[in-house]
Amino acid sequence: MIKHNIKVIDIVNEAKGTKTYYFERPEGFNWQEGAHTHIAHVGFDAGEKPNRDLVRHMSIMTLPSEGKIGITTRFPSSPSQYKSKLAELKIGDEVVLFKLGSVLTLRRENRPVILLSMGVGIAAMRPIILSYKNDKTNVPYVINVNVDSSKEFIYRDELDKLQDEDYNNHWVRSRKEFYEKLEQLVETEDAIYYIVGSYLFDKDVIQRLVGKNVKAENILIDKKDWSIGEFLEN
């Protein structure tokens, strides 16, 4: 397994308790939109066994063309050991990057794409949106819906500037408003749905979509160890 020690090159406060960390991009390190990686604190592998409390699976919120690796995360009032150490990082400090995967690659099948996310889940959607804006081949249009009760919508200014006749954002402030919007969107013929949020959010949205006769193969989630069928179990 190849590990890269990478330096923090910038830290951006996105909203209350939410930060984006930008890291240098290792030479030759490439990824697709919707990719995830592991970000670990230095020393996580110093013992006989890796300390899993110092490792997290993170969505990469940038594209390779941006020249840097970005992650966006929220800090709870009682952070884990991992988040506590992350909050202490300064520009120039290092973390360890390893493993790379992608379960949310943009499917170019001449079908609409609908992105459904909760809160900081928008981080996984940003590169998908940018990839589409860079090349609209075989994707007729994209609709992005993000629900965030804090009303501090991450990347809103950036993504709203990208809107055109083929790409539209919907920023909603409650689950009620979100599900009302979903009821409208589920009528979209032959759409592909991407879902990123908490386990319960994913499960609820998947069950609603399937209940409206959306086929499981047309639903993508960012949890690589779970199948859509498992979310349909009561």
Side-chain angles (χ1 to χ4, degrees), residues 6-7 9 22-27 29-31 60-70 126 130:
I6 53 176
K7 290 183 179 180
I9 57 175
Y22 291 104
F23 306 97
E24 59 188 359
R25 176 188 173 193
E27 185 175 353
F29 186 80
N30 290 296
W31 63 94
I60 302 179
M61 49 73 66
T62 49
L63 290 175
S65 58
E66 297 178 81
K68 54 191 176 184
I69 296 168
R126 179 184 180 272
L130 295 183

Side-chain angles (χ1 to χ4, degrees), residues 3-178:
K3 302 174 188 175
H4 302 275
N5 278 51
I6 53 176
K7 290 183 179 180
V8 179
I9 57 175
D10 197 13
I11 302 173
V12 177
N13 290 310
E14 300 284 0
K16 183 179 180 180
T18 305
K19 294 183 179 183
T20 293
Y21 291 81
Y22 291 104
F23 306 97
E24 59 188 359
R25 176 188 173 193
E27 185 175 353
F29 186 80
N30 290 296
W31 63 94
Q32 293 178 294
E33 71 281 350
H36 57 264
T37 189
H38 288 75
I39 300 289
H41 292 293
V42 174
F44 84 101
D45 54 354
E48 291 185 8
K49 294 183 178 180
N51 184 348
R52 297 184 183 277
D53 291 336
L54 299 181
V55 184
R56 287 293 183 276
H57 166 275
M58 293 284 191
S59 296
I60 302 179
M61 49 73 66
T62 49
L63 290 175
S65 58
E66 297 178 81
K68 54 191 176 184
I69 296 168
I71 62 168
T72 300
T73 190
R74 281 193 169 149
F75 293 86
S77 55
S78 299
S80 63
Q81 181 184 10
Y82 180 89
K83 289 289 183 76
S84 294
K85 291 181 70 66
L86 194 66
E88 295 171 357
L89 290 179
K90 303 180 295 296
I91 293 174
D93 288 344
E94 290 187 344
V95 297
V96 183
L97 176 149
F98 62 98
K99 289 187 180 178
L100 181 67
S102 184
V103 291
L104 296 176
T105 306
L106 181 58
R107 284 167 53 177
R108 299 179 180 273
E109 301 176 4
N110 289 310
R111 300 161 65 190
V113 168
I114 297 177
L115 309 176
L116 306 169
S117 62
M118 181 185 79
V120 76
I122 190 69
M125 304 305 193
R126 179 184 180 272
I128 298 172
I129 294 165
L130 295 183
S131 182
Y132 170 71
K133 292 296 294 184
N134 291 337
D135 178 8
K136 296 184 178 182
T137 302
N138 295 331
V139 182
Y141 61 89
V142 171
I143 297 174
N144 172 49
V145 185
N146 178 253
V147 56
D148 194 331
S149 60
S150 75
K151 305 176 185 179
E152 294 188 282
F153 298 102
I154 303 167
Y155 319 142
R156 181 171 185 169
D157 290 345
E158 176 193 17
L159 297 182
D160 277 350
K161 291 175 182 176
L162 300 179
Q163 292 187 111
D164 58 21
E165 66 276 9
D166 301 321
Y167 167 64
N168 193 253
N169 296 312
H170 298 276
W171 309 98
V172 297
R173 301 179 178 185
S174 69
R175 291 289 184 93
K176 179 178 181 294
E177 188 180 356
F178 174 82

